Amino acid sequence: MSQMIRTKGAQALAEALKAVKTMAIATLLNLQGCEIGDDRAQALAEALKTNSTLTTLELGNNSIGENGGVALAEALKTNSTLTTLNLGLNSIGNNGGVALAEALKTNSTLTTLNLGLNSIGDNGGVALAEVLKTNSTLTTLNLEYNFIRDNVGQALAEALKTNSTLITLNLRNNSIRENGGVALAEALKTNSTLTTLNLDSNSIWIKGLLAFSEAFKVNLTLTTLHLGRNKTAGNIALVLLKSLESKTTLTTLNLGRKLIKNDEALALSEALKTNSSLITLDLQSNTIDDNGAQALAEALKTNSTLTTLYLQNNSIGSKGVQALAEALKTNSTLTTLDFQSNSVGDNGAQALSEALTTNATLTTLDLWHNSIGSNGALALAEALKINLTLTTLYLQNNSVGDNGAMALSEALKTNTTLTTLDLWGNSIGDNGAQSLAEALKTNSTLITLDLWRNSIGDNGALALAELLETNSTLTTLSLGYNSIGPKGTQGLYWVSQTTSCHILK
């Protein structure tokens, strides 16, 4: 049984203590964002010393300082049921981190500890690293945004050489540099349990990347590695990517925001031709252009494992998109393709539409902010009349207008697979809204329709309201920031009283 408390301060504490002390079957207590503070955290800690049922305690964003952190640590020394403790976004500091580390020396039940955004610093980080050498229950440790530097990275690396239980380690957005990166990579050569390591937004550069490329050759357990927003340097990045050719366990690789250019994209594509483990590849916010996209497209023609490819916010134009679309005609594994904020245009949309008529695996296509216009929407609509696998289509901010909306409406009359259609910010007026409403009178699969920030007035709103009187599948309709007046608002209000659809205005 869970207990969720959304009141503030003293009232929250009173309810929490009641839950902890008297509810013998309560297993989850959620106090996130309740302004608990140190004094109340100390009182809660006292209750935890005798409670024997609570397994999950959510205390994120509560202004808990060092004293509260120390008190909760003391409770962990005797509590024997808590398995998950979330203290993210507090201020427990060095002393709180050290106290929790001390508690973990004797606690034998906690498996998940979230200390993100707590300023535990080097002292707290080193203390936690030290306890990982002997603790045998913790499987997930989140230390993101904690001002952790190289010495903590090195200490954690030493712990990973002997620790046999930690599965997930999140060190995102700290100040780990070359020495820490090299040490962690070295630890991966002998560690046999860690599956996820997040080092996004640190300062790992040449030596660190080379060390990871070497670790890839022998590590057999790491499946997810995040290196986004670190530094790369041409040939060094190529070495890292080259190592993927022989890596057999890595399933998720995040290289977003790393200024990867076409040379690196080419190396990556070569690796993908032989790599048989990678499932998710994140290349968002790089500088990949048509040439890089064409290289990746060639790899997709033979790769048989990749299911998710994020390419948002690059410099890919219609030629790169056309190459990737051609690959989709034969690729049989990719399920999610994200082109958000590139330059697809109507020619690229046309190419993707042709691919969708034969591709039988893609379920999610994101074309947000790509200037496909009404012609691109028309082409995609034609594909939707035939395609039997796409379930989610994001077309936000593409200037499809009423003509594009009407074409998509026609497709919805026969399409039986699409569940989510996002048309946010597309200059759709009453005519487009009325066409969509008419189509949804017969469509029985669409669940979510986003029409936020368009130009829909009363007539369009009333048409959609009338639709909701009979449609039983649409559960979410977003209509905020349109031009709906009192009449349309009233119509939507009355139908909202009887429909199960959630209308967002």
Side-chain angles (χ1 to χ4, degrees):
M1 180 176 177
S2 65
Q3 182 80 359
M4 295 189 67
I5 298 173
R6 289 300 181 201
T7 48
K8 301 289 184 181
Q11 184 182 352
L13 176 66
E15 293 182 29
L17 290 175
K18 180 180 178 182
V20 173
K21 291 179 178 179
T22 64
M23 295 185 67
I25 59 173
T27 58
L28 184 152
L29 182 59
N30 188 345
L31 285 167
Q32 291 194 81
C34 285
E35 300 177 5
I36 296 295
D38 270 351
D39 291 343
R40 302 177 184 105
Q42 289 169 321
L44 188 59
E46 281 301 310
L48 282 176
K49 291 179 180 178
T50 54
N51 178 276
S52 61
T53 57
L54 205 65
T55 59
T56 301
L57 179 57
E58 300 282 349
L59 292 175
N61 191 18
N62 266 299
S63 303
I64 298 172
E66 291 188 347
N67 291 336
V70 170
L72 289 165
E74 280 299 308
L76 287 179
K77 292 180 180 179
T78 54
N79 180 281
S80 60
T81 55
L82 202 68
T83 61
T84 299
L85 176 59
N86 178 8
L87 284 170
L89 195 55
N90 282 289
S91 303
I92 69 168
N94 277 279
N95 290 338
V98 170
L100 284 165
E102 191 65 27
L104 289 176
K105 291 179 180 178
T106 54
N107 180 281
S108 60
T109 54
L110 201 70
T111 60
T112 300
L113 178 58
N114 181 2
L115 296 178
L117 292 114
N118 264 290
S119 303
I120 66 169
D122 289 346
N123 291 339
V126 169
L128 287 163
E130 192 62 29
V131 79
L132 285 178
K133 293 179 180 179
T134 55
N135 179 279
S136 60
T137 54
L138 203 67
T139 61
T140 300
L141 178 59
N142 183 355
L143 296 176
E144 64 182 344
Y145 290 90
N146 265 298
F147 303 107
I148 288 171
R149 295 180 292 184
D150 265 353
N151 59 330
V152 178
Q154 291 168 315
L156 286 166
E158 279 303 306
L160 288 177
K161 291 178 181 178
T162 54
N163 179 281
S164 60
T165 54
L166 200 68
I167 296 172
T168 300
L169 178 59
N170 186 354
L171 296 172
R172 183 169 71 100
N173 217 308
N174 281 290
S175 300
I176 298 172
R177 299 179 181 274
E178 291 285 64
N179 292 336
V182 169
L184 287 164
E186 282 297 311
L188 291 178
K189 291 180 179 179
T190 54
N191 180 280
S192 60
T193 53
L194 199 72
T195 62
T196 300
L197 176 59
N198 190 340
L199 288 167
D200 276 354
S201 301
N202 280 279
S203 301
I204 299 170
W205 200 15
I206 297 174
K207 292 180 180 178
L209 293 175
L210 282 172
F212 276 108
S213 69
E214 287 300 309
F216 281 172
K217 296 176 183 178
V218 293
N219 179 278
L220 298 176
T221 53
L222 196 72
T223 60
T224 302
L225 177 62
H226 295 273
L227 286 172
R229 287 190 178 179
N230 279 282
K231 299 178 181 179
T232 60
N235 294 332
I236 304 305
L238 299 184
V239 172
L240 174 67
L241 298 172
K242 182 72 175 175
S243 66
L244 289 176
E245 293 181 10
S246 58
K247 178 61 180 170
T248 57
T249 59
L250 200 68
T251 60
T252 300
L253 179 60
N254 179 355
L255 294 172
R257 301 176 179 88
K258 291 178 62 65
L259 298 180
I260 285 181
K261 299 178 182 177
N262 290 328
D263 287 345
E264 289 91 335
L266 181 60
L268 186 55
S269 68
E270 286 301 311
L272 287 175
K273 289 177 182 178
T274 55
N275 179 279
S276 59
S277 63
L278 208 62
I279 295 173
T280 300
L281 178 59
D282 189 343
L283 296 174
Q284 64 175 298
S285 301
N286 282 293
T287 54
I288 300 170
D289 63 15
D290 284 347
N291 292 330
Q294 288 168 334
L296 290 168
E298 282 302 308
L300 288 179
K301 290 179 181 179
T302 55
N303 179 278
S304 60
T305 55
L306 200 69
T307 63
T308 302
L309 179 58
Y310 295 111
L311 291 170
Q312 64 262 46
N313 198 24
N314 276 283
S315 303
I316 302 171
S318 60
K319 289 183 179 179
V321 175
Q322 287 167 341
L324 286 161
E326 193 63 29
L328 287 177
K329 292 178 181 179
T330 54
N331 179 280
S332 59
T333 54
L334 203 68
T335 60
T336 299
L337 181 56
D338 192 339
F339 274 122
Q340 185 182 141
S341 294
N342 279 283
S343 301
V344 172
D346 53 4
N347 288 336
Q350 176 67 49
L352 288 168
S353 300
E354 291 176 10
L356 288 176
T357 60
T358 55
N359 180 280
T361 53
L362 201 69
T363 60
T364 300
L365 178 60
D366 191 341
L367 293 173
W368 185 91
H369 191 53
N370 266 292
S371 304
I372 69 168
S374 58
N375 289 337
L378 180 62
L380 289 167
E382 287 302 310
L384 288 176
K385 293 177 182 179
I386 302 170
N387 181 278
L388 297 175
T389 53
L390 201 70
T391 60
T392 302
L393 179 59
Y394 296 111
L395 295 176
Q396 304 103 307
N397 198 16
N398 267 296
S399 303
V400 305
D402 280 343
N403 289 339
M406 287 189 280
L408 290 164
S409 299
E410 283 302 309
L412 288 176
K413 291 179 180 179
T414 54
N415 180 280
T416 59
T417 55
L418 203 68
T419 59
T420 298
L421 178 59
D422 194 334
L423 292 171
W424 183 99
N426 269 293
S427 303
I428 297 170
D430 282 343
N431 290 338
Q434 288 169 325
S435 293
L436 287 165
E438 189 63 30
L440 291 177
K441 288 179 181 179
T442 54
N443 178 286
S444 60
T445 53
L446 200 71
I447 295 173
T448 300
L449 177 60
D450 192 341
L451 293 172
W452 201 268
R453 287 192 183 276
N454 280 287
S455 303
I456 300 168
D458 284 345
N459 291 337
L462 289 173
L464 290 165
E466 181 186 346
L467 150 76
L468 292 176
E469 293 177 2
T470 55
N471 181 288
S472 59
T473 53
L474 198 68
T475 60
T476 303
L477 175 61
S478 299
L479 288 169
Y481 292 93
N482 276 280
S483 303
I484 302 170
K487 186 181 294 186
T489 300
Q490 185 178 35
L492 290 167
Y493 170 76
W494 286 116
V495 77
S496 70
Q497 304 304 301
T498 57
T499 184
S500 59
C501 181
H502 188 201
I503 304 173
L504 303 175
K505 300 189 290 292

